[in-house]
Amino acid sequence: CGYKPNPDQVSSFLIEQARTPIPPLTEIPVERPLERNPIVKSGHVSYILQGKTTKARSAAEILVNVLDELSKRDSSFITRFDSRKHGRKRRYVARTREELYPGRLGLAEKSKQLSNGWWVGTNYSKNNINQIIQLACEVAGLRIGYDLTVNLGE
């Protein structure tokens, strides 16, 4: 019942396994229960990204900071995020500010530049910012409410 290798094959296999380096163990994150409402809309405007709390002045500032931090952690994040479906008429991020608000220079002037040179629009409602942050988490492989908790204020 089954295959039984000869002793020479077993010996060769074991010697080969002993030569193969064992990769170091990676830290396994401790599972915390997911929060029921990870995007809060009351109180102080802030976010917690993988244990680090950052306060902000507005929901738009949180959006810019989160996208900037995610693009610093992973250089391919912003292009993957850009390739996803955006709003009905406008892009969430673009290589130039004019691409964010086609034909609306006044709004383009309110956009913010990320540290990698890309631009992000800031003229969004808190509900839109919530959706954009959730999409960013999906692209980055983060769990909203666990890896990122956001308080967008009232």
Side-chain angles (χ1 to χ4, degrees), residues 60-61 63-64 92 100-101 107 110-112 120-125 129:
E61 184 178 344
L63 173 64
V64 173
Y92 299 143
L100 291 171
Y101 303 101
L107 290 178
K110 295 181 181 183
S111 61
K112 301 291 182 189
V120 60
T122 59
N123 189 36
Y124 298 108
S125 69
I129 289 172

Side-chain angles (χ1 to χ4, degrees), residues 47-68:
Y47 65 96
I48 304 169
L49 179 58
Q50 295 183 323
K52 179 186 169 198
T53 302
T54 305
K55 292 183 180 180
R57 286 175 265 147
S58 67
E61 184 178 344
I62 287 179
L63 173 64
V64 173
N65 290 350
V66 166
L67 292 177
D68 199 39

